[in-house]
Amino acid sequence: MKAHVALGFLTGTALALAARKNLIVDTDLFSDVDDVGALLIAATSPHVTLLAVNVNYPSTFSALAASAILAHYGHCGVPVGIRRPLANVTFFDSWSYELGEYASKVAFHWSGGSLPWGHAEEAWDPVALYRKVLAEAEDATVTIASIGFLENLSGLLNSTSDSYSNLNGRELVARKVSELVIMGGSYPFGREFNFWGSNASITAHVVSTWEGRMVFVGDEVGKHVKSGGRLMSEGPNSDPVRMAYIYHSYCTPRPSWDPLTVSYAISGLTDLFEFGNEYGYNHIEIDGANRWIWDKGVRNQFFLRLAVDEETAAAELDRLFLRGAFTTPLLIPNITVN
Ligand SMILES: *[C@@H]1O[C@H](CO)[C@@H](O)[C@H](O)[C@H]1NC(C)=O
Ligand SMILES: *[C@@H]1O[C@H](CO)[C@@H](O)[C@H](O)[C@H]1NC(C)=O
Ligand SMILES: *[C@@H]1O[C@H](CO)[C@@H](O)[C@H](O)[C@H]1NC(C)=O
Ligand SMILES: *[C@@H]1O[C@H](CO)[C@@H](O)[C@H](O)[C@H]1NC(C)=O
Ligand SMILES: CC(=O)N[C@H]1CO[C@H](CO)[C@@H](O)[C@@H]1O
C-alpha cells in the first residue's frame, strides 16, 4: 500500500518535471524594472525549471539583486553569472529624471541566495555558467530568454571546448538549445536600445551566427502594455519585485517588454501572441538598427505580434505577477508538484 502511494507520487512528480521547460534568463537587470517582473514570472512559474540567470550589465547590485529575488522565491540554488569587470554603480535616470533606482535596495533588504550582500565577485563567469548548464542538460531541451544585451551570448558562441564539454560554443548551442527568444529590435524594421545600447557589432554577431530557432520580441510588442499596477497595489508587502516597481516607477505601471518575452519563452504563443512572419531573417546594421529580410529560404526565425489588445496582455501579466508573489510560500520545498 505504502509502496503504491510512493510510486504514484513519484510518477506524478516525474510527469510534472517532464512538463517543465528548462529556462536560462540573460538579463540587464539595472535601469528598467521590467527585468525583475520577468524574473518573478520565470522564478514562480509551475512550468519552468530555472537553470541559471546571467546578468549582462556589470553592476555588483545587478548580480546581488538577481540572487536576492531568486532566493525570495525559493531558488537559493539557482546560479547567477555576471559580465565583468564589476563596479558598484547605481542607476541614475539622466534621460527623463523621473525613474528611481531599485537594484541596490532590493539587493540589500532582501539579501540572500548564492550571492548575499557583499559577495557579487563570487558570481559565475557568464560563459562558463552557460557552458556548464548546457553541458548538463538533455539535448534540445533548453530555452534561453535574452532580455538585455548580447555580450554573454556572443561569448558563448565564441567559446571553445573546456572541462564542461568537448564541444565548442556553436556546437553546444546546436545540441542543447531548442529556442532563443530575444527582446530587441523593432519589426519589420527599426532601432531599439537592447541592440545598439551596449555594442551593435556584438548584437550583429549573435543574430547572424546563431543557427537554431530564434524568436524576436520587438519594442512595439511591449511598449504600450503597462503592467505592475496590481502587483504594487495588491501584492504582498514582503515581495521584492513589488518594491522594485515602487522604487522605480512610484506606482505607475511600466512597459512590459521583458515579462512578455519570458511569458512567450515559457508558454509559447498561447492566446497572447502570433508570429508576424512565416519566413525570412533578421539583419542587424552597423548602428544597431535592424531590418527583416523576407527570404523564403529561411524558416527558423520569427518575430512576435500581440494577438490581443494591450489591456488584455497587461491584465494577463498582472495576473501572473500576483499569482507568483502570493504562491511563494508554497514553493519552499525544492520540488513542487503543481
Ligand atoms: C532544498 O533542499 C536542500 C537539501 O534538502 C535544503 O538544504 C535546502 O534548504 C532546500 N531549499 C529550499 C529553498 O527549501
Ligand atoms: C563595492 O563596495 C563594497 C563595500 O564598500 C566593497 O567591499 C567592494 O569591493 C566594492 N566592489 C567593487 C567592485 O568596487
Ligand atoms: C566573438 O567573435 C566575433 C567574431 O570574431 C567577434 O566579432 C565578437 O566580438 C566576439 N565576441 C566577444 C564577446 O568577444
Ligand atoms: C564592441 O565589441 C567589439 C568586439 O568585441 C570591440 O572590438 C569594440 O571595441 C566594441 N565596441 C564598443 C563600442 O564597445
Ligand atoms: C562585453 C563582455 O563583457 N562580454 C563578456 C561576456 O562573457 C565573456 C565570458 O565571461 C567575456 O569574455 C566577455 O568579455
Side-chain angles (χ1 to χ4, degrees):
M1 190 61 202
K2 257 192 171 161
H4 277 103
V5 172
L7 194 61
F9 173 75
L10 280 177
T11 309
T13 306
L15 284 174
L17 286 175
R20 286 167 173 247
K21 197 167 228 181
N22 289 328
L23 182 68
I24 302 173
V25 176
D26 199 325
T27 166
D28 62 334
L29 185 173
F30 183 70
S31 56
D32 206 323
V33 78
D34 69 327
D35 289 85
V36 293
L39 213 47
L40 184 168
I41 292 174
T44 61
S45 167
H47 309 297
V48 168
T49 299
L50 193 54
L51 300 180
V53 172
N54 266 331
V55 181
N56 53 63
Y57 191 87
S59 163
T60 54
F61 305 117
S62 301
L64 299 178
S67 176
I69 289 167
L70 291 171
H72 177 80
Y73 297 124
H75 294 297
C76 296
V78 171
V80 177
I82 189 165
R83 185 181 149 188
R84 307 302 202 285
L86 291 176
N88 283 328
V89 288
T90 52
F91 170 67
F92 177 76
D93 179 11
S94 57
W95 184 270
S96 57
Y97 298 92
E98 61 187 17
L99 298 171
E101 193 273 344
Y102 68 89
S104 72
K105 301 177 178 79
V106 166
F108 183 84
H109 290 290
W110 277 267
S111 170
S114 59
L115 305 174
W117 184 252
H119 290 258
E121 295 287 358
E122 289 163 28
W124 280 81
D125 171 284
V127 173
L129 181 54
Y130 265 130
R131 292 188 57 85
K132 173 182 192 291
V133 161
L134 291 177
E136 289 169 356
E138 300 282 321
D139 289 356
T141 62
V142 180
T143 300
I144 298 175
S146 171
I147 53 173
F149 305 128
L150 292 116
E151 268 80 1
N152 298 327
L153 283 170
S154 174
L156 169 63
L157 287 170
N158 290 356
S159 64
T160 52
S161 82
D162 60 6
S163 59
Y164 299 117
S165 171
N166 292 329
L167 304 178
N168 68 34
R170 289 170 70 165
E171 292 163 343
L172 191 58
V173 163
R175 169 100 41 107
K176 303 291 182 172
V177 180
S178 54
E179 186 169 70
L180 170 62
V181 187
I182 298 180
M183 195 280 122
S186 226
Y187 300 89
F189 57 86
R191 191 162 179 270
E192 183 277 333
F193 182 67
N194 281 356
F195 280 4
W196 63 260
S198 185
N199 186 322
S201 81
I202 294 278
T203 304
H205 172 243
V206 173
V207 172
S208 66
T209 309
W210 196 272
E211 290 164 309
R213 181 180 164 96
M214 268 190 292
V215 175
F216 298 94
V217 186
D219 178 49
E220 65 283 350
V221 176
K223 183 162 49 177
H224 300 296
V225 176
K226 301 293 173 66
S227 63
R230 287 188 64 201
L231 179 64
M232 288 186 274
S233 61
E234 299 167 42
N237 289 339
S238 60
D239 188 80
V241 172
R242 171 179 175 271
M243 275 311 294
Y245 270 81
I246 292 172
Y247 291 138
H248 186 257
S249 76
Y250 304 97
C251 299
T252 307
R254 288 291 299 161
S256 308
W257 302 283
D258 297 345
L260 287 170
T261 302
V262 163
S263 299
Y264 168 80
I266 294 171
S267 305
L269 292 174
T270 65
D271 295 337
L272 286 187
F273 306 106
E274 59 196 18
F275 292 133
N277 66 299
E278 285 172 28
Y279 53 84
Y281 65 93
N282 201 5
H283 174 76
I284 312 297
E285 314 276 355
I286 198 112
D287 64 350
N290 73 288
R291 187 161 47 91
W292 202 259
I293 310 292
W294 298 93
D295 178 342
K296 286 192 170 157
V298 182
R299 304 267 172 172
N300 65 332
Q301 299 190 23
F302 303 92
F303 58 88
L304 288 189
R305 294 275 185 232
L306 282 180
V308 294
D309 63 32
E310 281 140 354
E311 290 69 27
T312 307
E316 173 59 8
L317 291 179
D318 283 336
R319 188 186 72 78
L320 293 174
F321 287 162
L322 284 174
R323 182 187 72 177
F326 277 113
T327 56
T328 296
L330 302 179
L331 287 173
I332 294 301
N334 284 328
I335 294 173
T336 51
V337 185
N338 61 312

